[in-house]
Amino acid sequence: MTKKENESIYIQQHLANERTYLAWIRTSIATLGIGFVAGGVHFNSGKKIK
């Protein structure tokens, strides 16, 4: 393999790793958001005390 091909493989691998990392970040933010919404619905759906 030439130096150019090695650099191309390295760049592709780096970009794939970055996409995976960003997908994990996006998933964690969505999970936290769903948790806050579910918690808010749960605590706001109870009977109100006078």
Side-chain angles (χ1 to χ4, degrees):
M1 293 178 105
T2 65
K3 185 177 180 181
K4 185 104 171 156
E5 290 172 340
N6 283 338
E7 287 180 11
S8 176
I9 291 171
Y10 174 77
I11 291 170
Q12 289 175 349
Q13 183 68 41
H14 178 73
L15 292 174
N17 290 341
E18 190 172 341
R19 284 191 302 271
T20 302
Y21 175 73
L22 292 174
W24 276 102
I25 297 296
R26 224 177 18 249
T27 302
S28 64
I29 290 171
T31 303
L32 284 170
I34 291 171
F36 279 114
V37 168
V41 168
H42 172 72
F43 288 115
N44 289 331
S45 65
K47 294 181 180 178
K48 294 187 179 183
I49 301 173
K50 292 183 179 182

